[in-house]
Amino acid sequence: MTQNEKILATFETRVRQLILRFQELKQENLELYSEVEKNEQDIKSLRAKLEQAGQDYNALKMAKMLEITDGDLQGAKDRLARLIREVNKCIAVLSGER
């Protein structure tokens, strides 16, 4: 083999190695893009779940506030009924004195 043939063979070998490396990197790039897309879908799904959880939390918070308000309302009704009975007793006592 002449010197030029050796250089040409070495060059050809290097080019083939570069082509193989390029194909490997191209495949790796495709896999990484696929993984990024999957991660973006996961993020989108998790954001939707977070939004739903926030809405559920707000609904539960509102229901709890209404529950407390209903309890306070019942307590207020009981206090008002007690006051009305006391006022009626006072009126009856005052009516009896006249």
Side-chain angles (χ1 to χ4, degrees), residues 10-26:
T10 303
F11 179 72
E12 186 179 335
T13 302
R14 298 282 187 229
V15 168
R16 286 185 184 173
Q17 288 173 344
L18 282 174
I19 290 171
L20 288 173
R21 183 69 179 138
F22 169 76
Q23 289 173 345
E24 289 170 2
L25 289 173
K26 188 176 177 183

Side-chain angles (χ1 to χ4, degrees), residues 16 45 49 72 75:
R16 286 185 184 173
S45 173
K49 286 181 182 179
D72 290 346

Side-chain angles (χ1 to χ4, degrees), residues 2 22 33 70:
T2 67
F22 169 76
Y33 271 110
D70 289 344

Side-chain angles (χ1 to χ4, degrees), residues 15-78:
V15 168
R16 286 185 184 173
Q17 288 173 344
L18 282 174
I19 290 171
L20 288 173
R21 183 69 179 138
F22 169 76
Q23 289 173 345
E24 289 170 2
L25 289 173
K26 188 176 177 183
Q27 181 61 35
E28 182 182 352
N29 192 25
L30 288 174
E31 291 170 2
L32 289 173
Y33 271 110
S34 174
E35 187 175 335
V36 166
E37 188 173 328
K38 179 188 173 293
N39 288 340
E40 286 175 351
Q41 290 296 326
D42 290 345
I43 289 170
K44 188 184 236 184
S45 173
L46 290 171
R47 282 186 178 156
K49 286 181 182 179
L50 178 62
E51 179 68 27
Q52 184 62 43
Q55 290 174 357
D56 291 347
Y57 172 75
N58 287 334
L60 287 172
K61 188 167 65 170
M62 183 63 70
K64 186 67 175 173
M65 287 174 30
L66 289 174
E67 179 181 308
I68 291 170
T69 302
D70 289 344
D72 290 346
L73 183 62
Q74 186 60 40
K77 284 181 180 179
D78 291 343

